[in-house]
Amino acid sequence: MTHLFRRIMGVTATAALALALPACTPPGKAVGDTQEQEPDVAFDGLDRGDVVIGFIGSDQPDFDRIVLQAFDASGSRTSYLSTDGVDDAQGAAQQGVRDMAERQVAIIVVSRPDITDDTAGGWDDALGDARGAGIPVALLNPVGELPDDTLYAAALTVNDRAMDATPIDDAVMTVIDDLPHEKTMMVSTSVAD
C-alpha cells in the first residue's frame, strides 16, 4: 500500500510541476510587459541591490562601459558578458542570453542585437529560452526588429541629450517589476554627480 501511495504522490507532484511551468510565459505578452495599467494593489517592487541584471555586451565596448557605469551608480548589480572581438558576436550574444536564462537573472539586457534575416532565427530561439524561463528581456539600441514582440519586454534607445529620457536603471526596474511601460522607451545613461 505504501508503494502505491508513493506512486500516486509522485504522479501528482509531476502533474503539478508540469502545470506550473507554462505560467512563466504569459499568453500573447512578453515577460515583464503584461501590465497595461497600474495594479489595484500597490507593489513596492524589488530593491535594486537584490536583483542581478544579465548584460550581454556588443561590438562597442565603450558604449557598454557607459551602460555598466550607469547601472553601478544606481546600485544595480550586473553580470556582464562581453562579445567584443568575438568572431561570431551575434552567436556569442545569443548563447549569452541562454546562459543568463539558466542563471535566473532578474532581467536580460542585450546591447545592440543585430537582427537580420540571417540572425533572426537565432535570436528567436535564444530569447524564447529566456521567455520560457520567465525572465524579461530588454533590447538596448537594437539594430533591426524582431517580428515576435512577445520575446522582449522593451526596446530601449539611449539618448543622453533628451531631457525627457528615463534613466536606464529606472526603465529596467520598471520592466523587472512588470509595471506599465511603453514597448519602446528612450533612456539615459547619464549619471548625476
Side-chain angles (χ1 to χ4, degrees):
M1 186 68 155
T2 303
H3 181 65
L4 178 62
F5 178 73
R6 285 184 186 162
R7 281 182 139 179
I8 292 172
M9 291 306 293
V11 169
T12 303
T14 302
L17 181 61
L19 289 174
L21 287 178
C24 292
T25 56
K29 298 276 189 174
V31 175
D33 190 26
T34 62
Q35 298 291 332
E36 293 164 354
Q37 60 186 16
E38 290 290 331
D40 291 335
V41 179
F43 173 58
D44 185 26
L46 300 173
D47 292 330
R48 281 177 170 80
D50 293 338
V51 301
V52 176
I53 299 167
F55 184 57
I56 310 298
S58 69
D59 57 352
Q60 297 181 354
D62 291 337
F63 173 74
D64 293 345
R65 194 172 306 112
I66 291 168
V67 174
L68 287 167
Q69 288 170 345
F71 286 142
D72 185 54
S74 72
S76 299
R77 296 182 301 151
T78 57
S79 180
Y80 175 60
L81 173 77
S82 174
T83 61
D84 183 43
V86 176
D87 287 338
D88 180 10
Q90 294 303 300
Q94 292 163 5
Q95 184 58 48
V97 169
R98 290 183 191 92
D99 294 345
M100 293 293 179
E102 287 181 15
R103 291 187 59 193
Q104 291 292 307
V105 294
I107 189 171
I108 299 170
V109 178
V110 184
S111 183
R112 294 186 43 82
D114 190 3
I115 304 160
T116 64
D117 290 341
D118 293 337
T119 63
W123 282 116
D124 284 351
D125 291 344
L127 298 178
D129 287 354
R131 177 177 164 73
I135 299 173
V137 173
L139 306 178
L140 182 62
N141 286 0
V143 179
E145 291 185 24
L146 279 172
D148 185 354
D149 67 356
T150 65
L151 296 176
Y152 64 98
L156 310 176
T157 302
V158 174
N159 185 343
D160 287 336
R161 294 182 183 176
M163 299 302 287
D164 61 342
T166 303
I168 193 167
D169 58 297
D170 288 345
V172 167
M173 289 304 297
T174 296
V175 171
I176 291 170
D177 291 337
D178 196 15
L179 296 173
H181 62 273
E182 298 293 324
K183 192 70 167 183
T184 58
M185 291 189 271
M186 188 175 356
V187 298
S188 171
T189 59
S190 298
V191 177
D193 293 330

